[in-house]
Amino acid sequence: MSTQTPTDRHDDEDQPDRATDLASLLGDRAIGREEHLNAPGFVVRPDAVQDVLSALKEEAGYDHLSCVTAQEYEGRYESIYHLKTYDDPTDEVSVVVPADTDAPVSESGAPVFSTAGWHEREAYDLIGIEYDDHPDLRRILLPETWQGHPLSLDYEQDRPQVVTLREHANPLEPDTRHEGGTDTMMLNIGPHHPATHGVMHLEATLDGERVADVDPDIGYIHRCEEQMCQNGTYRHQIMPYPDRWDWGGGGILNEWAYARVAETLADIDVPEYAQVVRTMSAELSRILSHLLAVGAYALDVAGDFTATFMYAITERETVQNLLEDLTGQRLMFNYFRLGGVAWDLPEPREEFFEKTRDFLDGFPRRLAEFHDLLTGNEIIQLRTVDTGVLAPEVARDYGCTGPVARGSGVDYDLRRDDPYGYYDELDWSVVTASAGDNFARLQVRLRELEESARIVEQCVDLLEEWPADDRTVQSNVPRTIKPDDDTEVYTAVEAAKGELGIYVRADGTDTPARFKIRGPSFSNLQALPEMAEGEHVPDLIATLGSLDTIMGEVDR
């Protein structure tokens, strides 16, 4: 395993003390040590997972399970639980759980962190590890009748897949009677896009007009993005993929997620000028995503197409034009490069700055109109206030991030809490709301639009005055990148939907041995039953819309 030196953000005096304290806390429950970039790793027995996770959560304060990564080596399976704290996401630890090749079984972490439920189901589905005490261990991306596990070493690529008759069994039979004896009905919602915000299927069990249970059924557009990245080279071939995880406008933010993990792996610096350009383009991308979110929400809740939705699309087109001028693309931007960006601002620079300032000058007035049409709308208020409530402790338990978590008062934003780019040099604020309902999540996105515009304006001010002889857009990056064998790292950025993280394990070649994507919508969507059960059917629709999921990063 890796023995790399931690990156600069952990290169402080208390790093050895922190690892020593954790080793003391875990005692003989840890049977080995690893050093991943950014985090100490502790190897634990497969039957001690819940005990170790509970100790780290309750006694050491690691209350955020970001991701669970599973993989198969020659001779063993392995699960890695990537833990952080919501108060300080730079305080990280990895719990490594090996499992025997002949019987890949380990204890489930879901009784300690609810978010582990879906992550472990994905590991079981794609890798083949089984998790004892899991509340609902079944496939999550592939049909239940799928033969084999696609990311296991012995998977037969050319094996025919046949859907058996049980795949078409009547789904109503086990759900026609509720435990209390009340008649219930199963209602299929989706999969149809865009009504379910992507190709997603909700299996809702109704008790009259109320939701007794809802189970999101995902995987309809699973495209093996992780495996494709594992077949691409670090330097050139992976970067075009991240845009495709969020085609709703957040593509540049996704590009930054990959840039950050690869630059950490290869110890690549980014010129200051390029950091400013990255920050400006990323916030323009966030504006694209949030405008689509609030515009589509008006359609979900009030059927408002002619006013709110078209107003949002009009503003979005203006930003889309700015990003097209900058990147040359309207949807799949592919603008970031390792060590910087592809090219400088378009010429003439003055014209680009003028267009950007024209947008920024008119944006406050447009945002005031959005508040009139949305937050000041009585229909929106009746449909969203006190519906879809997500308590902060539940949000943390499910690993929720982004506007979904901040709408529940969870003050967590990686741009501030784990600084990257130029964010820590600029004046802006993290937006939170305390109610935790659908209305609060709408408010957070609208106010975040204001903060993104503030960031873009400050970046434009800097770029206008930047000396012409110091406009370096990309550092000197090796033509071929080959991180040391067994180097492992998980890093993340604050994407439009929340924490977008990537885990990479290197094997000494120019392609990753393991590439795991932690999409924020994946964890946010898992919390939907907690918000929807017991509420009316229309509340379920409003709650689903308030999550602003994008299925590209859910299914990957």
Side-chain angles (χ1 to χ4, degrees):
M1 288 302 150
S2 172
T3 56
Q4 302 296 310
T5 303
T7 56
D8 289 343
R9 66 194 182 112
H10 284 316
D11 197 15
D12 51 14
E13 295 180 356
D14 64 348
Q15 177 76 7
D17 293 337
R18 183 171 62 96
T20 301
D21 291 343
L22 292 175
S24 177
L25 171 66
L26 296 180
D28 57 7
R29 290 174 291 194
I31 59 175
R33 281 290 308 275
E34 294 181 6
E35 282 300 328
H36 302 178
L37 294 180
N38 296 352
F42 293 89
V43 183
V44 305
R45 298 190 316 274
D47 61 352
V49 174
Q50 292 176 20
D51 192 16
V52 168
L53 293 181
S54 294
L56 291 171
K57 181 180 182 181
E58 302 299 334
E59 299 180 49
Y62 289 97
D63 57 351
H64 180 26
L65 176 58
S66 287
C67 184
V68 180
T69 300
Q71 51 194 313
E72 183 184 1
Y73 295 86
E74 292 291 347
R76 78 178 192 285
Y77 288 81
E78 185 176 273
S79 303
I80 303 176
Y81 295 79
H82 306 274
L83 294 171
K84 300 181 179 181
T85 72
Y86 273 101
D87 288 338
D88 179 10
T90 66
D91 185 4
E92 305 175 48
V93 62
S94 298
V95 175
V96 182
V97 188
D100 185 70
T101 303
D102 296 330
V105 179
S106 95
E107 200 172 52
S108 171
V112 182
F113 290 98
S114 294
T115 190
W118 273 23
H119 287 279
E120 290 174 348
R121 283 180 60 189
E122 182 182 344
Y124 163 71
D125 193 357
L126 300 183
I127 306 293
I129 302 174
E130 296 189 11
Y131 295 90
D132 277 345
D133 295 331
H134 191 285
D136 186 21
L137 189 63
R138 56 192 169 94
R139 292 188 183 271
I140 189 170
L141 296 175
L142 300 174
E144 278 297 309
T145 53
W146 195 269
Q147 302 298 305
H149 304 278
L151 293 184
S152 62
L153 297 181
D154 62 352
Y155 181 66
E156 299 178 39
Q157 296 279 356
D158 56 353
R159 181 174 184 172
Q161 299 291 338
V162 179
V163 177
T164 61
L165 291 176
R166 67 186 176 91
E167 189 74 7
H168 302 294
N170 181 1
L172 293 179
E173 288 181 1
D175 290 313
T176 52
R177 302 293 294 182
H178 195 264
E179 289 181 0
T182 306
D183 287 331
T184 61
M185 179 182 73
M186 185 176 190
L187 176 67
N188 288 300
I189 304 174
H192 43 260
H193 183 62
T196 49
H197 290 258
V199 189
M200 178 172 58
H201 172 211
L202 296 181
E203 297 178 356
T205 303
L206 305 184
D207 183 0
E209 288 294 318
R210 292 190 179 272
V211 177
D213 182 42
V214 60
D215 181 17
D217 178 22
I218 65 175
Y220 288 89
I221 56 169
H222 178 55
R223 296 158 296 150
C224 307
E225 291 280 351
E226 294 172 356
Q227 194 169 25
M228 288 191 291
C229 289
Q230 288 171 196
N231 292 326
T233 59
Y234 293 104
R235 180 70 172 88
H236 297 291
Q237 294 178 338
I238 295 178
M239 187 57 82
Y241 286 116
D243 285 299
R244 289 152 175 81
W245 309 338
D246 182 355
W247 48 76
I252 286 182
L253 298 156
N254 292 17
E255 293 174 24
W256 208 336
Y258 172 63
R260 192 176 194 199
V261 73
E263 287 160 1
T264 302
L265 269 172
D267 195 22
I268 296 171
D269 292 326
V270 180
E272 187 177 11
Y273 178 78
Q275 296 282 28
V276 180
V277 176
R278 280 184 170 189
T279 303
M280 178 191 68
S281 62
E283 291 309 306
L284 287 172
S285 188
R286 193 182 311 276
I287 290 172
L288 276 185
S289 181
H290 280 4
L291 282 173
L292 182 60
V294 299
Y297 200 57
L299 281 175
D300 287 336
V301 177
D304 182 359
F305 178 83
T306 53
T308 310
F309 183 77
M310 291 310 297
Y311 275 27
I313 294 300
T314 299
E315 292 304 296
R316 200 173 181 275
E317 280 297 295
T318 302
V319 180
Q320 198 84 66
N321 291 337
L322 292 173
L323 283 172
E324 183 180 11
D325 289 345
L326 178 63
T327 68
Q329 304 289 340
R330 290 188 66 81
L331 190 61
M332 307 301 174
F333 301 108
N334 193 22
Y335 180 57
F336 278 30
R337 297 291 184 271
L338 300 190
V341 294
W343 47 70
D344 201 353
L345 306 183
E347 296 288 350
R349 293 168 64 90
E350 294 75 15
E351 182 178 325
F352 178 78
F353 291 138
E354 183 179 358
K355 289 180 180 179
T356 307
R357 288 198 182 280
D358 285 345
F359 164 73
L360 294 171
D361 290 344
F363 200 44
R365 178 174 58 84
R366 284 298 196 185
L367 284 175
E369 292 174 345
F370 286 135
H371 278 289
D372 288 341
L373 292 166
L374 289 167
T375 58
N377 185 322
E378 184 177 359
I379 297 175
I380 297 285
Q381 292 175 6
L382 288 171
R383 293 285 309 279
T384 60
V385 173
D386 293 332
T387 64
V389 176
L390 178 66
E393 61 275 11
V394 177
R396 292 187 180 92
D397 188 36
Y398 278 90
C400 295
T401 55
V404 172
R406 291 191 287 272
S408 295
V410 179
D411 189 8
Y412 180 81
D413 191 310
L414 294 176
R415 294 173 294 175
R416 177 201 62 194
D417 301 331
D418 185 7
Y420 58 95
Y422 215 70
Y423 289 110
D424 57 347
E425 302 292 332
L426 303 175
D427 180 23
W428 60 281
S429 300
V430 174
V431 177
T432 61
S434 60
D437 57 11
N438 292 324
F439 190 74
R441 291 186 280 274
L442 174 62
Q443 283 181 310
V444 167
R445 290 190 180 93
L446 285 169
R447 290 171 55 199
E448 284 190 358
L449 285 168
E450 301 174 20
E451 296 301 323
S452 291
R454 286 180 62 195
I455 294 172
V456 171
E457 184 173 24
Q458 293 172 74
C459 289
V460 169
D461 291 340
L462 290 167
L463 294 171
E464 278 186 322
E465 302 299 326
W466 210 277
D469 59 354
D470 190 30
R471 296 173 186 165
T472 306
V473 298
Q474 194 173 146
S475 61
N476 188 16
V477 179
R479 184 178 297 272
T480 301
I481 295 174
K482 294 183 178 180
D484 292 340
D485 187 19
D486 269 341
T487 305
E488 302 181 50
V489 63
Y490 172 84
T491 66
V493 301
E494 188 67 33
K497 322 293 185 185
E499 178 179 331
L500 176 61
I502 297 175
Y503 163 86
V504 172
R505 177 175 67 85
D507 61 1
T509 69
D510 63 348
T511 62
R514 184 71 171 100
F515 192 102
K516 175 69 171 70
I517 305 164
R518 188 264 190 211
S521 292
F522 184 81
S523 294
N524 292 344
L525 180 60
Q526 188 184 179
L528 178 64
E530 296 282 353
M531 295 178 265
E533 289 175 12
E535 300 203 328
H536 291 91
V537 176
D539 300 333
L540 170 61
I541 304 306
T543 301
L544 176 63
S546 77
L547 297 180
D548 185 30
T549 54
I550 189 86
M551 298 310 293
E553 66 179 27
V554 174
D555 291 342
R556 303 178 303 287

